[in-house]
Amino acid sequence: MAAAAFPISAERLAQRAETCHKELLAARVKLTTPPVSRLELQSIEPTGSKGDRITGARVTFSFTVEPSDCNTWGTIHGGCVFTICNAAGKIATAVVAEGAKNIVSTDLTTNYLAGVPVGSTVQVEIECLRTTKSIGFLRGSIKDAQGTLCYICVQNVSFEL
């Protein structure tokens, strides 16, 4: 089966993601910058299109857990998971909603299923399911190197075009 043709090139989608990532880092939010700066973009997969625009996309990152990301048990702490999901969701929104700015989470729910120890590299996958003119709907997961589902999230964001 042939892959679906999408109206925007993979390079353009990656450029949107990189621009949003740089903007998040430029904000210099002291408590959130370290984990966000270590998100490594792995892939962008459009999941839908309408006319000349992307209507959904799955964005995948890798992230290596450092001691500063961990709780006293040596596993990634909830605040770090929340921060990673928040940033990845904003980036996925920017990929789908071209020109989106001032992307703000209106709600973000995270569920913790299994701990991830320091030194582990995880896969962060966020899917922007749909955007309207000012709201994005997302879901995501964090899996360990063995593919074990460790964390899940559901997120809504607000933005301006």
Side-chain angles (χ1 to χ4, degrees):
M1 176 180 252
F6 290 99
I8 300 172
S9 70
E11 293 81 19
R12 179 69 184 123
L13 295 176
Q15 183 180 31
R16 289 182 192 175
E18 290 169 10
T19 298
C20 183
H21 193 195
K22 287 177 184 175
E23 289 171 357
L24 288 171
L25 294 175
R28 297 182 186 224
V29 178
K30 189 175 184 179
L31 295 176
T32 62
T33 300
V36 173
S37 67
R38 295 193 320 273
L39 282 174
E40 295 288 332
L41 181 64
Q42 299 298 308
S43 65
I44 299 173
E45 177 188 348
T47 56
S49 64
K50 184 175 183 180
D52 64 348
R53 66 184 184 91
I54 298 295
T55 58
R58 185 175 301 112
V59 183
T60 305
F61 302 88
S62 63
F63 176 80
T64 300
V65 180
E66 293 186 357
S68 60
D69 305 321
C70 293
N71 55 31
T72 57
W73 295 278
T75 60
I76 190 169
H77 66 76
C80 187
V81 169
F82 188 91
T83 297
I84 290 167
C85 290
N86 186 41
K90 290 178 180 182
I91 294 168
T93 300
V95 166
V96 174
E98 184 174 17
K101 57 185 182 254
N102 300 324
I103 303 169
V104 177
S105 292
T106 56
D107 62 274
L108 174 57
T109 302
T110 53
N111 295 99
Y112 307 92
L113 309 173
V116 176
V118 67
S120 300
T121 298
V122 296
Q123 178 181 341
V124 180
E125 183 179 281
I126 300 291
E127 183 176 5
C128 185
L129 303 166
R130 178 175 185 262
T131 60
T132 66
K133 291 181 182 179
S134 62
I135 299 173
F137 303 91
L138 303 103
R139 66 177 171 200
S141 65
I142 298 178
K143 296 178 182 177
D144 67 14
Q146 291 73 40
T148 302
L149 185 61
C150 300
Y151 309 97
I152 56 174
C153 67
V154 176
Q155 179 181 19
N156 295 332
V157 298
S158 174
F159 58 88
E160 299 172 359
L161 288 176

